[in-house]
Amino acid sequence: ILVPFVKRLRTERLRPRAGEVASAMIVGVGIDLCSVERMRRELDHSDGFETSAFTLVEIASTRRHPHPDRRYAALFAAKEAVVKAMAGAPATGMLWRDIEVGDGDGTAHVTLRGRALEAASFLNIDHIHVSFTHTHERAMACAFATSNPGAS
């Protein structure tokens, strides 16, 4: 008796009512885990890694962070998650700096430029939701790419 009710409830919630605009549709999902130690080694031993992987805004905000290596690992995991969320698009020529991750207002956000923006446009993505966190050893991020077909 309970199972048909649950199925009906789920179906009704997913379909918009007459005259309503459909809600955002998930186009892709990405997740990544990054070692803080690996990030520390890249930053210490790879000339130019910081400026090739991160935007000036990301670098400035991370240098103010109490644990920059953890923050860089979290941002890099977020960038990887964003790329995975856009997996159906051509990625030729995409730079890590084409994906900027920030959380200045307390909510994580993504800004796309260049080839990353082209990839999102190819997939009709109009928003990427991202969340990231870290411990002293690892950083993790997930990203959801969405499209709102009812938006004009």
Side-chain angles (χ1 to χ4, degrees):
I1 296 173
L2 182 61
V3 173
F5 173 74
V6 171
K7 286 183 179 176
R8 188 179 76 241
L9 179 63
R10 286 184 184 157
T11 303
E12 288 172 359
R13 284 183 31 210
L14 295 176
R15 292 186 187 149
R17 294 186 179 98
E20 287 183 342
V21 177
S23 61
M25 187 172 69
I26 296 174
V27 176
V29 177
I31 188 167
D32 195 67
L33 187 67
C34 183
S35 161
V36 172
E37 179 59 34
R38 178 176 167 246
M39 182 57 56
R40 192 177 301 120
R41 281 194 312 268
E42 288 293 329
L43 292 164
D44 290 344
H45 302 294
S46 298
D47 288 341
F49 175 76
E50 182 181 45
T51 55
S52 68
F54 302 100
T55 67
L56 295 176
V57 171
E58 291 168 327
I59 292 169
S61 70
T62 300
R63 287 184 177 171
R64 290 189 304 269
H65 195 271
H67 303 285
D69 52 348
R70 297 177 194 176
R71 170 76 177 190
Y72 275 130
L75 294 178
F76 197 78
K79 290 171 183 261
E80 284 271 11
V82 168
V83 169
K84 291 173 183 177
M86 298 191 301
T92 306
M94 192 182 303
L95 305 172
W96 288 119
R97 290 185 321 257
D98 289 343
I99 303 166
E100 184 175 274
V101 181
D103 64 348
D105 60 359
T107 303
H109 59 273
V110 175
T111 303
L112 302 176
R113 295 179 183 86
R115 295 293 173 103
L117 184 58
E118 290 174 16
S121 179
F122 178 83
L123 294 171
N124 296 316
I125 294 169
D126 52 32
H127 191 77
I128 296 181
H129 308 266
V130 66
S131 181
F132 55 90
T133 190
H134 61 77
T135 66
H136 65 282
E137 295 177 347
R138 291 182 184 82
M140 186 275 213
C142 63
F144 294 86
T146 61
S147 175
N148 191 344
S152 50

